[in-house]
Amino acid sequence: MPRADRKDRPNARFHGRIEAEGRVCAVPGCDEPGEFRAPGGARSGFDGPGDYRWMCLDHVRAFNAGYNYFAGMSVDEINNAQRPYAGWERETRAFAANGADRPPRWADFSDPMDAIGARFRDRMAAERERADGRPLSGRDREALRTLGLATDADRRALRQRYAALVRQLHPDHNGGDRSNETRLQAVVEAYQHLKKAPAFA
């Protein structure tokens, strides 16, 4: 039976098959199609395993079964690679001194989760800020999301967006179609809340 008809031939979407005309398995003496990628040489460091070689399904399975990530490493290198925080000490662009517009910097924290939490809090604070300095409550922000408005929208933008949504959703403007009534009700409630909110007074 031809190899193409085998039932154990995996789907490329899930198993990494990359078909190509004329490419054969890199294992000497094998003339099956080379459709699976495997590391080919010395490890090149953080950017990946270096060059690749192409193998048939049977040979890549054998390669994977015998692959040892730690081969060639010293005991200290293996211990460092297995630490729970391995890699966290290296600054990524988001936390590097030249990578972010403002703190936090990666080096300012001893625990990576503290750094991630600080960056998240900064982002959330930025989303809450308005140019006019007026605070927004959680309900205000939820109502703005319902209307599809940014946190810095003003009263004029609020009225314009509300009018546009009512025209879009109201049955009178849609030949009596009432399929958007739930959304329309949410828009009306959001507008009624925001027009009384201190941020839009």
Side-chain angles (χ1 to χ4, degrees), residues 94-174:
F95 292 105
N98 64 351
D101 296 333
R102 59 182 186 275
R105 285 182 61 244
W106 186 257
D108 295 339
F109 300 91
S110 58
D111 184 339
M113 297 310 290
D114 290 342
I116 293 169
R119 190 147 185 93
F120 176 76
R121 284 189 299 275
D122 282 358
R123 186 178 302 135
M124 294 307 291
E127 288 177 4
R128 286 193 297 268
E129 291 171 2
R130 289 172 52 89
D132 58 17
R134 294 177 178 175
L136 290 172
S137 70
R139 187 151 179 233
D140 294 344
R141 287 191 296 279
E142 185 180 335
L144 285 167
R145 280 193 296 272
T146 299
L147 296 175
L149 288 170
T151 55
D152 211 22
D154 59 12
R155 194 170 179 86
R156 182 169 182 248
L158 175 62
R159 284 195 306 268
Q160 289 176 339
R161 180 65 177 157
Y162 174 68
L165 285 171
V166 167
R167 280 194 302 274
Q168 177 186 339
L169 301 171
H170 201 283
D172 291 350
H173 296 279
N174 292 289

